[in-house]
Amino acid sequence: MSTRGETAAPEGSCDLLVIGGGVNGVGIARDAVGRGLKVILCESRDLASATSSASSKLIHGGLRYLEQYEFRLVREALAEREVLLGIAPHIVRPLRFVLPHNATLRPAWMIRIGLFLYDHLAKRSRLPGSHGVDLRHGAEGAPLKQELTKGFVYSDCAVDDSRLVVLNAMDAAARGAEILTRTACTAARREGALWHATLTGEDGQSRTIRARALVNAAGPWVTDVLQHVLHSNSQDHLRLVQGSHIVVPRLYDGDHAYILQNPDERIVFVIPYQGAYTLIGTTDVAYDGDPAVAAISPAETTYLCLSVSRYFAKPVRPEDVVWSYSGVRPLYDDAAQNTSPNNPSTVTRDYVFDLSGGIDGTAPLLSVFGGKLTTYRRLAEHALEKLAPLLQAPTKGWTHAAPLPGGDLGGASITAFARDFAGRHPWLPADLASRYVHSYGSLGEMVVGDARSLAELGEHFGAGLYAREVEYLVTHEWARSPDDILSRRTKLLLEADTAMREKLAGWLARYGRSEARAVS
């Protein structure tokens, strides 16, 4: 599988130009090219460089959305858990959540009803259902305060969010799409049935392409693209909401997560992260500014620490935080009566399309407002339901049954596949073999290649990152910088010291940069 751009649309033309390399943009590009359309996607930075890599790393139905009567959204998200477990079993894994009961916040009967709906709103075949649990016994209650004696357990899934984005882009490229990172759409205008768009790379060089349709999937920048690039307006509006997370040293043993209720009716997740850490989030704070520079505030850090300390026997303090990250969610502002301007948590997580042109003979423009990581595939499918008739493309969806790259395990479970992979490469340390499997799935063989020892994997940068893997990421996954590799491709950021980063930067300067230019 190559991503070097040899499938570029001829003569600068395409059926569909997608602006935005987040999960919605790559999902739409993948779906469209699989229906036979010629697709170009441009992203001004790296894939998943904004909201899509700043999530809670979950594929979930959204238990709390039931209180807002978002039944359609929850049903769709619950169904997508099953789909994504099937097409990406290497990066999506089942995760059991423990909900300690606090009678002062929600009565037990309300939680039972909510979990019953959660279990039955959509068909569930891969995940176990919910049940009550006695927190006085067992691992679930061990780290919690003694007065918490009753709880509930239910299922959702964890996901490597940025790898989900990259894998969709890889599949789109393998099917013929042109994926352009570090390339901004700097201008676009309609001329009858075509869009004429200017794409500008980070080197300042520009090219003009013609597209029969354009998708604005710029996430938090969707309104900016409409106003300043497309010189268009929309009646739909965004509310930008910052969500921040903190990471602390591991708080408890076990591979289960917690969902904690707070007096403000929000919930906070406590999730195992990268083995040695615990991920805590998220906040919901109205945001006004450049989404590219969002950063956690001291108030958000304090809020998350207090949320966990209400339930855990050992308090979490701001000084325990080893890393934090923030993302800006582009939520659709539906101006509903139950939406409070002072409570961003009440803003819908559903998505809305604004479609103009097409029917009157002018080139279609589809702008995407809102959405969430879990439902990106259905969002893309719904987008193509609107665009396909205008582009004379097949209207039947296909992505629900097509594995993402590395997700075809030959019928084996991920556990069996991991065991077989380790058996084929007994010289790999167990933790490295596991990381390869859960990052690359069946493509892990491409990373290892013909190596028969650690020395044959090339230069070791630290934390189990070898030159062979970096070369793979540069050649096949659009990686160009240390941050691309450590933050979004491998999640080794927390293990990377200054020396490791400098060594990696030096290698990229000698080899990776020239290879990366060939990618785009």
Side-chain angles (χ1 to χ4, degrees), residues 177-200:
E178 185 177 6
I179 307 296
L180 303 173
T181 62
R182 269 82 174 186
T183 303
C185 182
T186 51
R189 69 184 188 279
R190 274 191 181 107
E191 291 190 7
L194 291 175
W195 282 96
H196 291 248
T198 301
L199 307 184
T200 304

Side-chain angles (χ1 to χ4, degrees), residues 196-207:
H196 291 248
T198 301
L199 307 184
T200 304
E202 62 181 353
D203 58 2
Q205 296 187 5
S206 297
R207 59 185 280 202

Side-chain angles (χ1 to χ4, degrees), residues 155-179:
S155 294
D156 265 322
C157 296
V159 67
D160 188 329
D161 50 4
S162 51
R163 290 210 58 76
L164 180 65
V165 176
V166 170
L167 295 183
N168 274 272
M170 289 175 67
D171 197 49
R175 296 174 186 273
E178 185 177 6
I179 307 296

Side-chain angles (χ1 to χ4, degrees), residues 260-345:
L260 308 178
Q261 305 173 80
N262 287 291
D264 60 2
E265 298 186 351
R266 292 207 68 258
I267 56 92
V268 165
F269 294 117
V270 181
I271 306 167
Y273 187 69
Q274 300 298 102
Y277 304 97
T278 298
L279 174 65
I280 300 169
T282 178
T283 58
D284 269 326
V285 180
Y287 188 81
D288 182 16
D290 181 359
V293 297
I296 193 170
S297 67
E300 288 177 286
T301 299
T302 298
Y303 175 88
L304 293 174
C305 289
L306 288 175
S307 296
V308 178
S309 299
R310 287 190 187 97
Y311 290 86
F312 278 62
K314 182 180 178 181
V316 175
R317 302 162 300 174
E319 52 265 37
D320 297 327
V321 176
V322 298
W323 182 51
S324 64
Y325 62 89
S326 301
V328 177
R329 306 183 193 100
L331 304 183
Y332 175 68
D333 188 355
D334 59 2
Q337 290 184 353
N338 67 334
T339 300
S340 168
N342 298 318
N343 186 6
S345 299

Side-chain angles (χ1 to χ4, degrees), residues 479-500:
R480 296 200 187 184
S481 72
D483 200 45
D484 295 350
I485 292 166
L486 298 173
S487 295
R488 289 179 287 278
R489 303 306 191 283
T490 67
K491 297 295 192 293
L492 292 175
L493 179 68
L494 289 170
E495 310 303 322
D497 57 18
T498 301
M500 178 179 174

Side-chain angles (χ1 to χ4, degrees), residues 15-35:
D15 295 310
L16 185 65
L17 171 64
V18 180
I19 300 174
V23 72
N24 292 334
V26 297
I28 291 171
R30 177 186 183 234
D31 194 318
V33 73
R35 298 181 194 231

